[in-house]
Amino acid sequence: MKFKTFAAFVGPSLFLMFLFIAAPLVSVFIGSFQLTQPVLEQVEEETCTPGFVTQTCTTTMVTRPILDEFGEIQTTTEWVGWTNYTRVLDPEATWAAISNWDWNALMQVDFWAALRFTLMFTLVTLPLVIGVGLAIALAVNNAAKSIKGPIIFVSLLPFIITPVIGALSIRWLFIGDGILTSALEAWLDQDIAMFAQAWTIELMMLFYRVWHVAPFAFVIFYAGLQTVNQDTLESAIIDGASRWDRLRFVVVPHLMPLIVFIALIHLMDTYRVFEEIVGFTSQAHVISLQWLTYDFLQPDDAGNRAFGRASASAMLTMVGIVFLLIPLLRRTWRDHHGGSH
Amino acid sequence: MKLKTILMAGALSAVASMAYADCAVDNEVELRSLTAAFEAWNAVTAAWEECGNFQAELNQEFRTVQPEAFAANPSLYQIGGVSNGTITPLLNQGTIRPLDDLVEMYGQNLRPNQLIRINGEIMAIAMMVNTQHLMYRADILEDLGIDVPTTWDEVLAAAEVIQEAGVVDYPLGATLKSGWNIAQDFNNMFLGYGGTFVNDDGTPNVNTEAGVNALGTMMAMTEYLDPEYLVSDSTYVQQQFQQGSIAMANLWASRAAAMDDEAESQVVGMVNMAAAPLAMEGGAPATTLWWDGIVIAANISDEEAAAAFQVAMEGLDREMVEANNDAAIWLVEGYQAGRLSEGAIATASAQPAPASYPSTSQMGLMHTALGNELPAFFTGEVSAEEALAAVEAAYTTSAQEAGILE
């Protein structure tokens, strides 16, 4: 291909990648080393509030930001080095917890509590999604032609539902005296409160995520199964290979690139777990890294947003994803370049 | 064919609703409002909408949306519903306008009590007062021969009796949802034990005896609560009452009317209100006083502001109050105090009286820090002192970032 044609094809997408990926990333990176503060003044203020009959007025010193001539709050932005990262990671408390082997104390630092859940969530759902997806694909592949259509349709349904809506529906099935909690209570004959402790909430989240994502793995695997070499399968049968042997030695090796692909996508997606935390209102018990960033960005009751800490936490999340992906990326790299060596 | 009929019916009803029978002003300016979504706001915004060209947004997340929406130029809303807690960011950003001129021109029906003055300027118009007070099932207390509790010790003792009698699922309800709600419950109790949140120099002061006592009493409550209390907000507690599954709660006065709503409630006429219980002898009731009211955006034209203020006054008039007397404890003329307001009035007129919720930046930061850090105490991960130390650390970090502390 001529360079000009190549450039014309690749240019637009490079430009968009720069605009929507690289530029925001750089700005977040810079922001994570900065702190923007309003310029404040102490003023004496008389505030009158209504009672039932008369007002009570109190005079207090309050802190108010100074407004500039356009009516915007005046701010100063400083370079603060690693301060934002220190505030997110709290190395002092972390080190104290680690040197005392105190797991509970470590979990009091929000970042580590979030990292613990995020990693657990990612690594536990990964094999489940791949396993369940493959199982559905095999089942559909072996089903009679007449019922294939309906089965595919039904198994795709969870994937179509908007994540937050799905999480909320499961929440309403279980919260308080929800239908499923009541059913469980009647069945097990004991009082059950699914939202009263962390592990039951985590269990519901794991179930929800697998339920939601398995259809995606299924679609990919199902497509892959159509390309399995039938001659190899037949000769395996002639050689006396059982169903399990055929799956293990013929089908799975054939699907391996797809398994790696799904693992890649799933790790990237799940490391950013967020909808579950909001949908299940689990922040008292369980938080995730993405939720932590979101929480820093939420204005507090005085109207401030912690942009610096949010940027630092976003950068740390990104570093985490890169670490998780390294083994898979190395494998893909080897597969692509293996032939030429 | 059928669709056409439906469309026609829709069009007709739209035409019908344009005959603003009940509104004295003929509003021709496009106006929007952003308010909270409880009963009183339903009543007020419905009255505003009668004036035409009016779009009301009722949103329980207004706290997050309002500062940004009002900072836009022009502001996305002309009228905002605020309380003494949520007015702080708007005051800080200077996005609401002084109302003295408008009050002089169009505010003849306002009572002096309604004018919220800050440094002499009227910045908001209050329409109602609100407080968290004791709501209890009068029938259950009477059956079991329990006097109406006046202190938290008595509440806990009564809860024990109700628990043993087994007449309800859970003796108590509480707004302990992690975040804003649990922090507010702590605030009530902390003030009830005579605590002060911040020192004069802005440093935090919650890891004190009052703080530990407050958490102790709250923890004692949890024994009588639905175990899922960390997700229980005001609406959840209100529904627990309405469905007859709890007997007592320290709940917002603005939720009282819902107890007698025959469409939703199975306990109509059975829930009474009393003063918020005392946390300690000789203290103020363990609660805070709030007002709710309206503000007008700064970043809009004077014509828009005048129109918005006139419409706002239409919604806050005697007619609206008479039609919705029990929806709130109105400050507006025409309000008749009834059975549902007894508790709030007893709370506010107690001696010593409970404090108003302070509208300061420090309090805003403290409230957020409390909401984030206290749940760890209730899940049993940390002790009261550790939780309060974490609150102080979180407050200090955000106060340093906000420039309030060095």
Side-chain angles (χ1 to χ4, degrees), chain A residues 35-38 40 42 44-56 62-65 67 71-73 84 87 104 107-108 110 171 174-177 191-196 280-281 283-285 295 298-306 309, chain B residues 63-64 68 85 88-89 91-94 112-120 126 129 169-170 177-178 180 227-228 230-231 236 291 329 331 344-345 348 356 359-362 364-365 367-368 372-373 375-376 379 381-382 397-398 400-404:
Chain A
L35 182 60
T36 302
Q37 288 179 313
L40 300 173
Q42 287 273 337
E44 197 174 58
E45 224 173 61
E46 187 191 32
T47 315
C48 294
T49 52
F52 285 90
V53 197
T54 53
Q55 289 198 322
T56 42
V62 295
T63 325
R64 294 272 177 231
L67 302 183
E72 304 277 339
I73 292 176
N84 290 322
R87 282 174 177 164
N104 196 18
M107 288 301 110
Q108 290 318 304
D110 283 344
R171 170 189 150 97
F174 283 105
I175 198 166
D177 285 329
D191 201 24
I192 294 173
M194 293 293 279
F195 284 85
F280 290 100
T281 40
Q283 51 271 37
H285 299 284
D295 192 43
Q298 283 292 95
D300 61 31
D301 291 309
N304 301 301
R305 294 167 195 264
R309 274 187 285 166
Chain B
R63 201 188 315 280
T64 328
E68 300 292 329
T88 315
L91 282 175
N92 279 347
Q93 294 170 350
N113 197 10
Q114 282 179 269
L115 309 175
I116 306 296
R117 285 177 201 274
I118 289 166
N119 279 343
V129 287
D169 294 346
Y170 309 103
K177 181 178 173 180
S178 63
W180 194 89
E228 289 172 0
L230 284 176
V231 293
Y236 192 81
W291 55 264
I329 297 161
L331 292 165
I345 293 174
S356 292
S359 11
T360 60
S361 302
Q362 283 84 348
L365 297 173
H367 203 125
T368 304
N372 285 341
E373 303 299 333
T379 56
E381 289 164 41
V382 296
T397 304
S398 49
Q400 281 168 345
E401 280 187 0
I404 289 172

Side-chain angles (χ1 to χ4, degrees), chain B residues 94-303:
Chain B
T95 52
I96 51 176
R97 61 172 63 208
L99 302 172
D100 300 71
D101 297 347
L102 292 168
V103 168
E104 201 174 307
M105 279 199 278
Y106 309 110
Q108 299 81 6
N109 295 327
L110 293 172
R111 297 154 92 187
N113 197 10
Q114 282 179 269
L115 309 175
I116 306 296
R117 285 177 201 274
I118 289 166
N119 279 343
E121 281 182 320
I122 302 169
M123 296 307 289
I125 306 293
M127 62 174 199
M128 56 175 279
V129 287
N130 203 355
T131 183
Q132 280 167 294
H133 59 44
L134 184 71
M135 296 168 61
Y136 61 94
R137 284 279 298 277
D139 55 326
I140 293 180
L141 263 60
E142 197 173 319
D143 284 350
L144 298 175
I146 308 169
D147 289 335
V148 178
T150 56
T151 65
W152 272 102
D153 288 339
E154 289 174 21
V155 171
L156 294 172
E160 182 63 40
V161 176
I162 297 170
Q163 177 109 305
E164 272 167 28
V167 284
V168 280
D169 294 346
Y170 309 103
L172 292 181
T175 49
L176 291 183
K177 181 178 173 180
S178 63
W180 194 89
N181 285 281
I182 197 170
Q184 181 52 29
D185 246 48
F186 174 84
N187 292 344
N188 291 338
M189 210 61 91
F190 182 67
L191 290 168
Y193 277 110
T196 45
F197 291 99
V198 284
N199 298 316
D200 288 339
D201 59 356
T203 51
N205 190 31
V206 289
N207 194 2
T208 55
E209 201 189 330
V212 175
N213 285 339
L215 282 180
T217 309
M218 285 165 81
M219 192 55 127
M221 274 161 66
T222 61
E223 206 173 309
Y224 306 106
L225 294 174
D226 180 343
E228 289 172 0
Y229 56 84
L230 284 176
V231 293
S232 136
D233 59 8
S234 313
T235 307
Y236 192 81
V237 177
Q238 172 193 318
Q239 286 166 350
Q240 285 183 314
F241 254 126
Q242 289 175 326
Q243 291 161 8
S245 61
I246 58 171
M248 293 184 289
N250 200 41
L251 189 61
W252 292 98
S254 55
R255 302 282 173 165
M259 302 301 149
D260 284 358
D261 179 352
E262 283 177 15
E264 291 178 0
S265 173
Q266 300 166 13
V267 292
V268 174
M270 297 183 208
V271 180
N272 279 0
M273 325 296 150
L278 306 181
M280 60 176 189
E281 286 298 323
T287 188
T288 44
L289 293 182
W290 294 68
W291 55 264
D292 286 87
I294 60 121
V295 292
I296 305 283
N299 294 338
I300 54 173
S301 68
D302 289 346
E303 292 76 47

Side-chain angles (χ1 to χ4, degrees), chain A residues 152-228:
Chain A
I152 293 179
F153 175 72
V154 170
S155 30
L156 281 181
L157 274 181
F159 194 49
I160 301 170
I161 297 173
T162 315
V164 175
I165 305 293
L168 283 177
S169 340
I170 294 195
R171 170 189 150 97
W172 284 113
L173 286 175
F174 283 105
I175 198 166
D177 285 329
I179 311 180
L180 288 185
T181 312
S182 299
L184 276 177
E185 282 174 355
W187 183 43
L188 297 173
D189 200 23
Q190 62 173 26
D191 201 24
I192 294 173
M194 293 293 279
F195 284 85
Q197 57 280 316
W199 69 270
T200 43
I201 300 181
E202 287 183 23
L203 215 59
M204 281 189 288
M205 288 175 167
L206 290 171
F207 169 79
Y208 165 72
R209 182 54 76 112
V210 173
W211 174 79
H212 180 65
V213 185
F216 166 69
F218 151 64
V219 174
I220 309 273
F221 286 141
Y222 185 64
L225 283 177
Q226 307 314 307
T227 64
V228 175

